[in-house]
Amino acid sequence: MNIPKGTLIIIGGAVDKGSFTEQNFDPDVEKNLNFFEKGILNRIIRESCKKQDSRIEVITTASKIPKKVGSEYVRAFNYLGAKNVDMLNIDKREQANDDEYLERLANADTVMFTGGDQLRLTTFLGGTKFHDLLLQKYYHENFVIAGTSAGAAAASDSMIYQGSSSEALLKGEVKITSGLGLIQDVIIDTHFVQRGRIGRLFQAVVSNPKVLGIGLGEDTGLVIKENKSMEVVGSGLVILVDGRFIKHTNITQVPLGSPISIENLVVHVLSIHDVYHLDTHTIIMHEHVSVDDEY
């Protein structure tokens, strides 16, 4: 398997970029933007090959309100010192084969996929020249691909695109299709803690225990290097669901719509700066130093 030269950053949604439309917006922007200190968007810039001079394209294809969503990210990146940022919205498949859009992708150092509907990403981009070039740049260049919410969910080979949180452990309730294929042997769910989606990930993993389930909390992400090392960034939690040690499940015996039983499903909880190695299935927990320990 080829090792990508690029970096993949997947985010659970609701990135704390500050909303410039909030009525209580503070003129001192640093008080609104937690990412100045912890931050995911700041980390995207630091990972980009030219840092603040990097060419960043905010891809709004997943969103039904692309101009509003895209302009928020452009403005946020601008406040962090990245000035070479623009929006790129593809809402028809033919555009993803157009030379104009391909040239913009070819000239980009970083792309940021916004949230919305992940099916729009795979439907409009999957199997196009744009998709091929995206994979080529990721594997052969020092290229950063970031995605939040739908943009994160679509990154893997297999993608959850539908499923009720409340009924997720009923057989057949979780719908899975092919994603953009940037990373293999994982499946990603977003807004994970806030929307109670752990059952969706359980069913996705029990259906194919080789696949590691990744549940991303809001304003939380993973910086993935070489499709192996995953470091947690942001303010929340990452839940990992490992099905390799499942002893028994009744998913093949019960009819559609029936509850699923699973024995010995392993779950890990990670927070900021913890690292998980996909190749060895090992965790390195970050040593958090308390204020008392500093004196």
Side-chain angles (χ1 to χ4, degrees), residues 59 61 88-99 101-103 105 113 119-137 178-182:
I59 301 177
T61 300
L88 196 163
N89 184 48
I90 295 172
D91 58 7
K92 299 181 182 67
R93 277 189 64 82
E94 55 263 34
Q95 291 175 325
N97 291 308
D98 189 278
D99 288 343
Y101 292 94
L102 293 172
E103 184 177 358
L105 177 59
F113 287 95
L119 265 182
R120 288 174 61 87
L121 286 174
T122 54
T123 299
F124 295 147
L125 301 183
T128 64
K129 292 180 181 179
F130 192 94
H131 186 198
D132 291 342
L133 181 57
L134 187 76
L135 289 167
Q136 178 183 324
K137 286 177 69 71
S178 297
L180 295 177
L182 297 167

Side-chain angles (χ1 to χ4, degrees), residues 176-245:
I176 298 172
T177 189
S178 297
L180 295 177
L182 297 167
I183 183 169
Q184 293 74 43
D185 297 333
V186 302
I187 192 163
I188 302 157
D189 210 350
T190 58
H191 301 280
F192 194 70
V193 178
Q194 291 76 4
R195 299 186 187 178
R197 288 178 167 174
I198 195 164
R200 296 196 340 172
L201 208 53
F202 283 171
Q203 181 163 168
V205 171
V206 77
S207 300
N208 183 2
K210 178 186 178 183
V211 173
L212 179 74
I214 300 175
L216 301 169
E218 293 187 353
D219 191 38
T220 309
L222 287 170
V223 177
I224 304 174
K225 305 277 192 176
E226 299 183 342
N227 280 358
K228 293 179 182 178
S229 170
M230 309 194 303
E231 178 195 350
V232 181
V233 292
S235 63
L237 300 174
V238 173
I239 311 296
L240 301 181
V241 180
D242 187 345
R244 292 175 303 135
F245 305 104

Side-chain angles (χ1 to χ4, degrees), residues 241-254:
V241 180
D242 187 345
R244 292 175 303 135
F245 305 104
I246 291 174
K247 292 181 178 179
H248 182 66
T249 175
N250 65 352
I251 192 170
T252 60
Q253 285 110 37
V254 299

